[in-house]
Amino acid sequence: MNQTKIIAHRGSKGTHPENTLEAIEEAVRVGSDGIEIDVHLSLDKEIIVIHDETVDRTTDGKGRVQDLTLTELKKIDAGSWFSPEYTNCRIPTLKEVFCFLEEIGYKGLINIELKTDYYAYPGIERKVLAFAAGNNWPFAIEYSSFNYRTLIRLKEVDSSCEIALLFKNNGENVAFLGSDIPVRMWHPKLSWFRNKSLFGAPEIPVRVWTVNKSKDIQFCLNKQVAGIITDYPQKALEIRNKW
Ligand code: G3P
Ligand code: MG
């Protein structure tokens, strides 16, 4: 049996400002098997690592990511909203995240979630794949999105890329992707998985999100899921390693 992998959600979102290099470094420090990050495009078409469509919640700035240039995005503080300890953390680009992970010798999985749910960011799929293909990165790369059109586009651009189907409660809609598009994993919300697991195991391996409470981590470990996506990777690893 394969061990359940612990995937750090937005870096280590529960302990550090999400989707920053500081959060990602923490995810690596505690020994996460994987790291999930979210991406959008800036006005000047840089791939930006941030969760929301706007910078309002996670920085001291305002506005939509797509209306700001990289230079403008780099001026804002992405840490002090979380804690004064992280004042001056910056929003990273995908390139900065990858170069940082390479530099610190990370060899796990990186899960890039393309945030095309509200804005399509035309060309983002091709851009992200081209960037990822531009170097022999020492870690595995997988893509996910709530937007199934993005998953199909990713596969059209590079049929060998690994995609994970991300969903809240509509897992059965997987047929929408078509039987000729292989999906490696499902990334369901915990509530869906809990309900589904009453009726037996899902047909495809799952990585469940966002699993933060000890009892939920234990529940998922008991169900032998492929992975747990969590804001608290250190805690999840401690529980798993005692399992
Ligand atoms: O990959 C799971 C999770 O990231 C999906 O939701 O909104 O946190 O990006 P969200
Ligand atoms: Mg995400």
Side-chain angles (χ1 to χ4, degrees):
M1 184 198 87
N2 289 329
Q3 191 180 40
T4 297
K5 301 283 188 286
I6 305 301
I7 317 291
H9 186 226
R10 310 186 202 170
S12 180
K13 174 180 181 281
T15 58
H16 289 67
E18 62 184 61
N19 281 320
T20 62
L21 291 185
E22 288 75 1
I24 289 162
E25 183 174 31
E26 172 67 3
V28 176
R29 185 189 72 77
V30 301
S32 307
D33 302 302
I35 301 170
E36 187 263 0
I37 56 172
D38 308 287
V39 299
H40 296 253
L41 285 187
S42 66
L43 182 63
D44 44 354
K45 312 299 176 214
E46 293 287 342
I47 307 164
I48 306 297
V49 178
I50 187 168
H51 179 269
D52 298 1
E53 285 68 30
T54 74
V55 299
D56 302 17
R57 180 179 62 86
T58 57
T59 75
D60 64 351
K62 274 207 170 311
R64 298 190 304 181
V65 177
Q66 63 180 302
D67 296 332
L68 298 164
T69 62
L70 178 60
T71 309
E72 288 167 329
L73 288 162
K74 280 293 179 189
K75 284 188 187 142
I76 57 184
D77 170 356
S80 57
W81 69 276
F82 185 84
S83 154
E85 199 186 326
Y86 298 105
T87 304
N88 286 327
C89 285
R90 299 290 129 181
I91 299 173
T93 61
L94 185 62
K95 185 176 180 187
E96 285 168 334
V97 169
F98 272 36
C99 291
F100 176 69
L101 288 172
E102 183 179 43
E103 201 179 296
I104 62 175
Y106 178 69
K107 295 198 169 49
L109 167 75
I110 184 100
N111 170 203
I112 304 175
E113 183 190 341
L114 285 83
K115 282 284 184 199
T116 50
D117 320 329
Y118 294 100
Y119 303 114
Y121 299 116
I124 191 171
E125 296 87 0
R126 191 172 287 278
K127 219 174 161 55
V128 170
L129 285 169
F131 167 72
N135 191 9
N136 190 17
W137 302 105
F139 37 82
I141 305 167
E142 279 184 30
Y143 304 91
S144 61
S145 183
F146 283 113
N147 182 348
Y148 298 170
R149 286 186 179 79
T150 279
L151 296 178
I152 292 167
R153 264 184 225 117
L154 285 163
K155 279 291 195 187
E156 280 168 0
V157 176
D158 176 4
S159 60
S160 70
C161 74
E162 298 284 7
I163 57 170
L165 189 67
L166 181 55
F167 59 89
K168 293 186 175 135
N169 293 307
N170 57 345
E172 283 70 12
N173 290 352
V174 68
F176 179 73
L177 284 189
S179 54
D180 53 337
I181 300 182
V183 172
R184 180 180 159 77
M185 286 270 167
W186 284 7
H187 286 190
K189 192 171 175 175
L190 176 60
S191 53
W192 179 90
F193 177 69
R194 200 195 295 284
N195 189 40
K196 179 78 181 175
S197 63
L198 295 175
F199 305 100
E203 311 81 78
I204 289 188
V206 293
R207 297 194 191 107
V208 185
W209 57 275
T210 307
V211 189
N212 290 338
K213 292 183 184 154
S214 302
K215 69 173 174 46
D216 292 333
I217 294 168
Q218 283 158 352
F219 169 76
C220 289
L221 289 168
N222 264 332
K223 295 289 177 188
Q224 300 177 4
V225 298
I228 289 172
I229 301 175
T230 176
D231 296 338
Y232 298 93
Q234 183 168 25
K235 170 178 160 179
L237 283 157
E238 280 166 11
I239 294 173
R240 184 199 67 187
N241 294 343
K242 276 193 219 138
W243 204 247

